[in-house]
Amino acid sequence: MSENNPYDSLRQVSEMWEKSLNGLLFQSLNINPLIQITKVGIQANSRYIELLKRNRELIANYMNLPTKNDVANAVKQTIQAEEKIDILEEQIWNLQESFALATEEQNKMLAEIIEFTKHLHSEWQKASQELTKLTKMQNEFDEIKKLLQKEREEPVLIGK
């Protein structure tokens, strides 16, 4: 530091002023009677503010106006209701997806049942046709039997 620099001397004077002002403030704040008076003033002011709060709530209740606490409670309940609605919406979406999947599976199963029923119907028709054929064949066999029995009953003359 050079002695010719005016800023150095100004800085030193500023530091001295700062130290002396800090000391003066510290001493003025450290005075016990000042602290006691401030404490009494704060207590009186807090009692007055509490009294004003109670009176404001009584007047608001008498006039049927919402208080700050009422509004805060209403906001909390609204937020809770919105959260519950969101949860319910999500559950409804999940149920809709489940129903859609179940409906799709039912449609697949019904298609398989219909296909199986059609197959059974065609098989039944084939079996019915075969049964009628077999019935005709049975009738023909019965007629052939009768004819054969008639031939056995009639005497056959054998010429010598």
Side-chain angles (χ1 to χ4, degrees):
M1 287 190 221
S2 65
E3 294 181 22
N4 295 337
N5 193 353
Y7 294 111
D8 288 337
S9 57
L10 183 61
R11 186 177 55 83
Q12 288 175 351
V13 169
S14 299
E15 286 177 1
M16 287 175 28
W17 269 89
E18 183 183 2
K19 287 180 183 177
S20 62
L21 282 176
N22 283 341
L24 181 64
L25 285 173
F26 184 72
Q27 286 176 355
S28 65
L29 291 177
N30 202 14
I31 299 172
N32 201 17
L34 178 64
I35 293 173
Q36 294 299 325
I37 291 172
T38 308
K39 184 178 178 183
V40 169
I42 290 173
Q43 287 174 349
N45 192 19
S46 65
R47 276 189 246 127
Y48 177 70
I49 290 173
E50 192 63 36
L51 183 64
L52 281 176
K53 281 183 184 178
R54 276 191 257 133
N55 286 338
R56 183 184 65 209
E57 287 180 14
L58 287 173
I59 290 172
N61 285 338
Y62 179 72
M63 297 178 72
N64 201 18
L65 297 174
T67 62
K68 187 177 180 180
N69 291 335
D70 294 337
V71 173
N73 289 337
V75 168
K76 285 179 187 176
Q77 290 178 349
T78 303
I79 290 171
Q80 289 174 351
E82 287 176 352
E83 290 172 353
K84 289 179 182 177
I85 288 172
D86 289 341
I87 291 170
L88 287 174
E89 280 180 341
E90 187 175 328
Q91 289 176 348
I92 288 171
W93 290 336
N94 290 338
L95 283 175
Q96 285 176 339
E97 289 176 8
S98 298
F99 283 135
L101 289 175
T103 304
E104 187 177 313
E105 290 296 321
Q106 285 177 350
N107 288 340
K108 286 180 184 177
M109 189 181 347
L110 285 175
E112 289 176 6
I113 290 172
I114 290 171
E115 190 65 32
F116 182 71
T117 306
K118 285 179 181 178
H119 180 70
L120 280 178
H121 182 68
S122 66
E123 291 295 321
W124 179 264
Q125 285 179 339
K126 287 179 187 176
S128 295
Q129 289 172 355
E130 288 180 13
L131 183 63
T132 55
K133 286 180 185 176
L134 288 174
T135 305
K136 285 181 185 178
M137 286 175 64
Q138 180 70 34
N139 290 338
E140 288 175 1
F141 281 133
D142 287 343
E143 285 178 24
I144 291 173
K145 253 187 186 179
K146 285 179 186 177
L147 287 175
L148 286 175
Q149 282 179 356
K150 279 184 183 179
E151 285 183 14
R152 283 187 196 168
E153 290 175 7
E154 292 178 9
V156 178
L157 295 172
I158 299 181
K160 284 189 180 183

